[in-house]
């Protein structure tokens, strides 16, 4: 006759650790720190899109693009010790888009102002 099964664990949900203690933790590497210029490029790129209507994208867009470009160069030359390449690229692209959108909004605003002054709406 086979031996009876072991008794169930005690109530309360606590299961004692296996005998022998815990395995020692392996020494890990720290994650690369994010470049601050990449974060600034991303923030300025987002702000250049948000402030397109006020035509601030003309100032913020190039600043974000330049910061993103410089940050990408710093990250690639760091040898993996500095991260944030994606942030820098997104900031660069958003800065370019914000600049183009702001210039387009500027010309659209003045074109509509000129056309409304040339062809005024007749009043009844």
């Amino acid at each position: 006759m086979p031996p009876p099964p072991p008794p169930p664990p005690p109530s309360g949900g606590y299961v004692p650790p296996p005998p022998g203690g815990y395995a020692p933790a392996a020494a890990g590497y720290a994650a690369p720190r994010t470049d601050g210029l990449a974060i600034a490029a991303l923030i300025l790129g987002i702000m250049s899109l948000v402030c397109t209507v006020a035509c601030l994208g003309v100032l913020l867009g190039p600043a974000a693009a330049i910061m993103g470009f410089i940050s990408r160069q710093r990250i690639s030359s760091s040898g993996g010790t500095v991260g944030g390449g994606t942030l820098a690229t997104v900031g660069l692209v958003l800065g370019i888009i914000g600049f183009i959108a702001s210039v387009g909004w500027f010309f659209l605003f003045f074109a509509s102002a000129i056309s409304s002054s040339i062809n005024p709406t007749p009043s009844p």
Side-chain angles (χ1 to χ4, degrees), residues 4-115:
S11 63
Y14 174 74
V15 178
Y22 295 105
Y29 295 100
R33 64 181 178 85
T34 304
D35 188 23
L37 206 57
I39 296 171
L42 179 65
I43 291 171
L44 284 181
I46 292 170
M47 291 302 295
S48 72
L49 283 177
V50 171
C51 298
T52 294
V53 176
C55 289
L56 289 177
V58 174
L59 299 175
L60 298 175
I66 291 169
M67 288 176 143
F69 184 74
I70 292 171
S71 177
R72 287 184 64 213
Q73 287 180 338
R74 285 171 46 178
I75 291 168
S76 65
S77 66
S78 72
T81 59
V82 179
T86 305
L87 297 176
T89 304
V90 171
L92 176 86
V93 170
L94 288 179
I96 292 170
I97 292 172
F99 176 76
I100 292 171
S102 187
V103 169
W105 179 261
F106 177 78
F107 284 121
L108 180 69
F109 177 75
F110 279 110
S112 67
I114 290 173
S115 71

